Amino acid sequence: MKLSLEGLKNRQEWLDNGYKLPSFDIKAVADETKKNPVWVHFGAGNIFRAFQANLAQQMIEKGEMKSGITVCEGFDYEIIEKQYRPHDNLSILVTLKSTGDVEKTVIGSIGESTILDSENKAEFDRLKEIFSADSLQLCTFTVTEKGYSLVNGRGEQLPAVTADFAAGPEKPASYIGKVVSLLYTRYLAGKKPIAMVSTDNCSHNGEKLYNSVMAYAKAWVEGGKAEAGFLDYLNDETKVSFPWSMIDKITPRPDKSVEAILRKDGLEDLDPVVTTKKTWVAPFVNAEETQYLVIEDKFPNGRPALQDVGVIFTTRETVNDVERMKVTTCLNPLHTALAVYGCLLGFTKISDEMKDKELVNLVNILGYKEGLPVVKDPGVLNPKEFIDTVLQVRVPNPFMPDTPQRIATDTSQKLAIRYGETIKSYIADPERDPKNLQMIPLVHAGWLRYLMAVDDEGKAFEPSPDPLLEDAQKFVKDFKLGEVPSAEDTKKTLLPLLTNKQIFGVDLDEIGLADKVVDYFRQEIAGPGAVRATLKKYVD
């Protein structure tokens, strides 16, 4: 069995091995996609193949779309050259259900793969053709939050951005610069309407994309590199919109256990490709079954009927409420708590943590007792039902190969939104007192303990990547397992960190939580087993 159009001709072999195959003519859909492009997606990674491409497949199956998606990769061109095109733009989606069932689907909805390279004339000219088409309705993005940033970690403008601002839309080098160049092509082709839809997992994603796009457009207009009308075009929502969205689907890196299942079926050419940019990409993706996509309904050139395949269309305010519900209460804070304590307690799978009494109690109290009472119900998704699904179905799924080490990445960048917003809600409510919070400061203390890079058995471990890791570790470098300084000395050492609003979202000392964090931390450094003992003391 080979993943290619030729290989799919032996349909019965695939069906006998339990694969769902596209019922439509894949080549006909590809031809229609090239002739009348409707949907371009920037970012050819795993989440796209597991989510957006599958949505398109379902719509084609229903007869509600004739064309597929045009995928465009702008960071790592080898993903297209070495994985997509050798497999005729096909991929396999392996859905890992909490019941233990494995669903294998061949995705054939990607009608064309393109490369966002302004130095490659053929590739960039093809994209200009696509962006000039009347039929084009929307562009979606999964390029990560960093993809929209025009500055480095120190706030300095990236050299490629500076160069593109000066040079104009002809041959930009930066990712968003190339996207804005294509928008300028669409403007010059007759000010044709389009929706630019970020589906990246970050707050106010549509606003982030808009701000990045406008930075280029203003620089080009002010520098005489683009017509003044381009700014009016981008600011006219009857022409160009930047809807906000909330996306949620766990899609870990393709796992060896899943690869073994496919190999047993007789599938060939499964070896992953590791590009020169160190991207690890395979012909398959594995993902959970649960997924949510909520989008602000602003599409000036129309849109596919994605509501028929589970996408929720609503107002910007509701999207924001859904995103806050997920990020500040119902999922992300629970994940981070499991990540920090999972690393300390030696876990390597998130699902295994949900067999641990103390950790289950921790996230249940954190979600239901401390978070849920102050979350705003967005109306389109029920917060309690959302947490129920997270804690009873999604996180315990033993077939999802997700790790606390992956989720612990960039924790310093996550604490402010994942816990700080709930603390602020307590501060703003005259009937609540942030000093009564127990689990949130316990997670903060756990992170401080994590920064010591020594687990609960006293063994050293490698902390996950984090832009502030070295800076934060300076505050715990003198603490040693089994040596507990006085509360006064501990607080004195940690106070500059605990008062950092950038990290915690609030000044923990100012609101009266610093002493509790210090107390928990001191208990957790008492010696080997102290983390477990502290959890037992406060969550049982």
Side-chain angles (χ1 to χ4, degrees):
M1 293 169 59
K2 289 192 175 183
L3 185 64
S4 64
L5 291 176
E6 184 64 30
L8 288 183
K9 287 181 179 178
N10 190 356
R11 289 182 64 86
Q12 196 57 49
E13 185 178 14
W14 288 84
L15 295 172
D16 289 345
N17 278 292
Y19 289 79
K20 289 185 177 181
L21 298 180
S23 62
F24 51 86
D25 184 329
I26 297 173
K27 187 178 183 305
V29 167
D31 290 342
E32 179 65 21
T33 304
K34 292 167 186 171
K35 183 180 177 183
N36 293 302
V38 171
W39 182 354
V40 170
H41 183 89
F42 290 99
N46 292 333
I47 183 66
F48 160 69
R49 292 193 289 165
F51 203 163
Q52 287 89 347
N54 191 33
L55 291 177
Q57 174 129 324
Q58 293 174 49
M59 295 198 64
I60 298 168
E61 297 275 8
K62 287 173 173 282
E64 295 181 354
M65 276 180 65
K66 293 182 179 179
S67 67
I69 298 182
T70 303
V71 68
C72 183
E73 177 56 35
F75 280 125
D76 195 337
Y77 309 149
E78 291 178 47
I79 294 174
I80 300 296
E81 297 165 339
K82 295 183 177 180
Q83 195 60 264
Y84 274 76
R85 290 175 181 171
H87 292 286
D88 296 327
N89 296 326
L90 300 168
S91 67
I92 297 171
L93 169 59
V94 181
T95 303
L96 306 170
K97 301 186 177 183
S98 58
T99 58
D101 294 329
V102 176
E103 186 178 276
K104 300 170 290 190
T105 306
V106 174
I107 301 296
S109 61
I110 301 167
E112 184 175 8
S113 56
T114 59
I115 294 172
L116 189 63
D117 181 5
S118 59
E119 295 295 328
N120 186 323
K121 188 175 187 304
E123 292 284 352
F124 210 56
D125 282 352
R126 173 57 189 147
L127 283 165
K128 287 181 177 180
E129 288 177 11
I130 292 168
F131 269 75
S132 298
D134 292 344
S135 57
L136 185 60
Q137 294 182 327
L138 72 156
C139 293
T140 49
F141 294 77
T142 49
V143 298
T144 76
E145 185 170 2
K146 294 176 184 176
Y148 307 111
S149 181
L150 309 184
V151 298
N152 61 22
R154 295 182 296 276
E156 301 160 344
Q157 193 171 89
L158 296 167
V161 173
T162 303
D164 286 351
F165 278 6
E170 190 61 32
K171 269 192 177 183
S174 58
Y175 198 122
I176 296 298
K178 288 178 275 191
V179 171
V180 181
S181 175
L182 294 173
L183 278 173
Y184 191 55
T185 296
R186 191 160 183 79
Y187 162 79
L188 294 176
K191 303 178 183 177
K192 296 177 180 178
I194 192 170
M196 304 294 285
V197 190
S198 170
T199 56
D200 273 296
N201 186 20
C202 58
S203 178
H204 300 178
N205 48 19
E207 183 177 50
K208 286 180 169 62
L209 176 57
Y210 169 80
N211 289 338
S212 294
V213 167
M214 291 306 297
Y216 284 88
K218 287 175 181 175
W220 290 349
V221 169
E222 289 171 2
K225 302 293 184 180
E227 294 179 8
F230 186 42
L231 286 174
D232 296 329
Y233 168 72
L234 293 174
N235 279 309
D236 183 350
E237 288 195 331
T238 68
K239 295 293 185 183
V240 184
S241 65
F242 296 86
W244 293 15
S245 74
M246 188 286 289
I247 189 170
D248 184 17
K249 186 177 181 73
I250 300 172
T251 310
R253 172 174 160 168
D255 190 73
K256 283 287 185 184
S257 64
V258 175
E259 182 182 329
I261 293 172
L262 304 183
R263 286 191 186 279
K264 189 176 180 181
D265 292 338
L267 198 58
E268 302 174 36
D269 300 329
L270 275 176
D271 290 339
V273 171
V274 180
T275 70
T276 52
K277 289 189 174 182
K278 306 301 181 184
T279 304
W280 197 97
V281 60
F284 69 94
V285 292
N286 41 243
E288 66 171 338
E289 182 178 17
T290 304
Q291 60 186 34
Y292 304 94
L293 182 55
V294 183
I295 306 178
E296 179 186 5
D297 200 0
K298 285 186 179 177
F299 291 80
N301 201 30
R303 60 169 173 78
L306 286 159
Q307 70 276 3
D308 293 342
V309 290
V311 178
I312 297 171
F313 289 95
T314 184
T315 64
R316 176 171 292 189
E317 180 182 7
T318 301
V319 171
N320 190 50
D321 290 342
V322 170
E323 196 268 341
R324 283 182 60 84
M325 177 199 78
K326 172 201 159 192
V327 172
T328 68
T329 305
C330 297
L331 173 61
N332 298 43
L334 313 182
H335 249 169
T336 292
L338 291 171
V340 168
Y341 279 104
C343 292
L344 288 171
L345 295 175
F347 285 94
T348 56
K349 284 184 71 174
I350 284 287
S351 58
D352 287 341
E353 294 188 62
M354 297 305 289
K355 301 171 188 173
D356 185 293
K357 179 184 175 184
E358 281 75 47
L359 294 180
V360 169
N361 288 347
L362 169 66
V363 291
N364 272 279
I365 299 169
L366 182 64
Y368 290 111
K369 186 175 179 180
E370 294 191 349
L372 198 57
V374 294
V375 75
K376 181 179 179 181
D377 186 342
V380 295
L381 290 173
N382 180 279
K384 182 182 180 301
E385 291 176 2
F386 194 99
I387 293 185
D388 289 345
T389 302
V390 168
L391 294 180
Q392 297 169 25
V393 178
R394 301 177 69 184
V395 181
N397 185 343
F399 307 100
M400 281 297 296
D402 213 351
T403 70
Q405 290 74 24
R406 182 188 77 84
I407 296 170
T409 300
D410 298 341
T411 299
S412 71
Q413 310 297 293
K414 299 171 179 176
L415 296 172
I417 183 69
R418 297 188 179 191
Y419 304 105
E421 292 305 305
T422 293
I423 293 172
K424 290 175 186 176
S425 294
Y426 273 72
I427 295 170
D429 188 338
E431 297 184 4
R432 299 186 189 278
D433 186 347
K435 292 179 184 177
N436 292 330
L437 292 167
Q438 300 287 332
M439 297 303 107
I440 289 178
L442 188 59
V443 176
H444 288 153
W447 180 60
L448 298 178
R449 176 68 180 77
Y450 167 92
L451 290 173
M452 292 172 64
V454 176
D455 69 16
D456 201 30
E457 295 181 356
K459 298 175 183 175
F461 68 88
E462 183 71 30
S464 302
D466 188 317
L468 294 182
L469 182 63
E470 289 186 15
D471 289 341
Q473 284 185 313
K474 292 175 184 175
F475 295 98
V476 300
K477 65 181 176 61
D478 293 329
F479 292 104
K480 292 180 174 57
L481 199 60
E483 300 177 12
V484 185
S486 68
E488 183 180 357
D489 288 344
T490 304
K491 183 175 180 179
K492 183 178 179 181
T493 302
L494 295 174
L495 197 59
L497 182 58
L498 297 177
T499 56
N500 188 323
K501 292 183 179 181
Q502 179 186 348
I503 291 178
F504 294 102
V506 293
D507 180 330
L508 292 176
D509 193 46
E510 186 177 81
I511 63 167
L513 278 180
D515 289 336
K516 188 174 289 187
V517 175
V518 168
D519 182 35
Y520 289 152
F521 175 72
R522 291 178 67 245
Q523 294 179 60
E524 292 188 346
I525 66 172
V531 171
R532 173 67 69 183
T534 305
L535 286 172
K536 281 180 177 289
K537 182 176 180 180
Y538 293 103
V539 306
D540 281 355

